[in-house]
Amino acid sequence: MSEPTYILGIESSCDETACSIVANGTDVLSNSIASQIDLHKRFGGVVPELASRAHIEAINNIIAEAIEQAGVAPEKISAVAIANEPGLIGSLLIGLMAAKTIAWIWDVPLVAVNHVYAHAYAASLDEGPIEYPAAALICSGGHTALYRCDSPMDMTLLGGTIDDAAGEAFDKVAKILELSYPGGPVIDRISREGDPKLIDFPRSLLAGDSLDFSFSGLKTAVLYHVNGVPGPRPTRVGKKPGPTARRAAMQENAGRGIENFTQQEIADVAAGFQAAVVDTLKIKLRRAAGKIDVKTLVIGGGVAANSALRAAVTELGDKLGCAVRMPKMAYCVDNAAMTAGLAYHYLQAGQVADLTLAARPTVRI
Ligand code: KG4
Ligand code: ZN
């Protein structure tokens, strides 16, 4: 039997420093991740400058750990894969420099991978190939998009968010509800205690058969539910309203403020919000599937860890009579196994990069 093709992947596009070794595109031999959640927690979101610095501190150890855990001798590794787009520029550059350095020292090809395409590939890890054509819904802290996929490398964008990403909405709503960061896991957990039908939050479906998403109105609806709808600004000719007058106007229409909500009421808000997000994602995925002769529904990204979304997509697959592929929990959030796995297909196709490869923070994907 021939020797497997081992690829070392590196991922540093946002706030996870990760390295992984994957054999033949699907067998994950190691998956090392240094998470920066504790660092960014008190800011309620990722602070780019802090993220870059933390990547520098973590990357050497993470690479060493992944190589050691995989137990594969470096001379057996066929290529180094890097997620060079999209992401935070400072973060991307740290991983890219590390990947170029290793590829140069080991004298192996460098393979460039799109981070969002890698999320769509994550469901293959440990499991095997996805049957195409597929409709893929990728939703994370930075992205929410729908694709038609004809192979791991052949992705056509069908729609995306016009404002907040789904994960970003989870994080911001958790902040409004004074829950911990990141918001997704905690909203998922407490929603189980809440009634998803009690508060009818808006589902922004946009016009006609649009496959785009919008979550900022939903986030504002939660904010108003908690803090009240701001009243009209008091106007007095020739005088700008002072802070007291503005506060009085706010209070006229004020909600009760999160400090006056019971645990049960917070759970009801969380469940209502989550139901609105999941309904919207499901409806759009169904629309996308309707435009393609799909064999498989695929989800990926941090929000693909959401239990209500997983249940809804499973149900949709049953209804449409097609397969459903969801990544294992460890491969939903950012990781380098999906980078190394997808890179196998580019390497097979002879699509490799060279040491002039650039980081691209924003790309139309
Ligand atoms: O894919 P990821 O690690 O990073 C990006 O590429 O953005 O996704 C992180 C996002 C965060 O917004 C987090 O709140 C969300 O995924 N998330 C979840 C869950 N677990 C993580 N959202 C909903 N439910 C979850 N269980
Ligand atoms: Zn991601």
Side-chain angles (χ1 to χ4, degrees), residues 28-217:
V28 181
L29 305 181
S30 62
N31 185 30
S32 297
I33 303 181
S35 164
Q36 301 177 7
I37 284 177
D38 287 341
L39 183 66
H40 302 290
K41 217 174 205 158
R42 69 193 172 104
F43 303 103
V46 177
V47 182
E49 177 61 23
L50 296 181
S52 314
R53 288 164 189 261
H55 283 306
I56 294 175
E57 284 167 15
I59 200 152
N60 285 353
N61 287 340
I62 285 295
I63 293 170
E65 186 182 282
I67 294 172
E68 194 189 318
Q69 275 177 14
V72 175
E75 54 274 17
K76 295 208 161 164
I77 292 174
S78 302
V80 176
I82 178 65
N84 70 318
E85 63 176 38
L88 301 170
I89 183 67
S91 293
L92 287 168
L93 283 170
I94 311 303
L96 181 61
M97 284 315 295
K100 283 182 179 177
T101 308
I102 299 174
W104 178 63
I105 293 172
W106 289 352
D107 194 20
V108 293
L110 181 68
V111 182
V113 166
N114 176 298
H115 173 82
V116 183
Y117 291 10
H119 272 306
Y121 183 79
S124 311
L125 299 171
D126 294 339
E127 302 288 344
I130 290 168
E131 232 195 312
Y132 297 101
L137 168 69
I138 307 307
C139 33
S140 67
H143 314 278
T144 300
L146 273 166
Y147 294 89
R148 176 198 166 104
C149 318
D150 290 289
S151 83
M153 303 178 291
D154 190 358
M155 311 263 294
T156 310
L157 183 67
L158 301 173
T161 182
I162 59 169
D163 42 53
D164 291 352
E168 189 182 353
F170 270 96
D171 296 339
K172 288 177 176 168
V173 164
K175 204 168 178 187
I176 296 168
L177 300 180
E178 296 188 350
L179 302 168
S180 56
Y181 172 84
V186 61
I187 289 182
D188 192 350
R189 182 161 40 79
I190 70 167
S191 290
R192 289 180 202 136
E193 314 298 323
D195 179 352
K197 295 208 170 87
L198 201 62
I199 310 157
D200 189 19
F201 286 122
R203 274 87 170 139
S204 178
L205 299 173
L206 307 170
D209 63 349
S210 165
L211 294 175
D212 286 331
F213 300 89
S214 166
F215 293 108
S216 76

Side-chain angles (χ1 to χ4, degrees), residues 303-364:
V303 182
N306 185 270
S307 57
L309 179 63
R310 292 174 88 93
V313 174
T314 305
E315 197 186 293
L316 180 61
D318 283 349
K319 215 180 213 167
L320 299 178
C322 56
V324 171
R325 298 293 298 272
M326 308 190 257
K328 287 181 172 176
M329 291 299 180
Y331 307 138
C332 286
V333 289
D334 288 349
N335 65 86
M338 62 187 191
T339 314
L342 176 54
Y344 173 75
H345 298 272
Y346 286 103
L347 185 67
Q348 297 282 90
Q351 292 184 35
V352 297
D354 61 36
L355 297 183
T356 63
L357 181 68
R360 296 205 302 164
T362 47
V363 273
R364 182 74 181 154

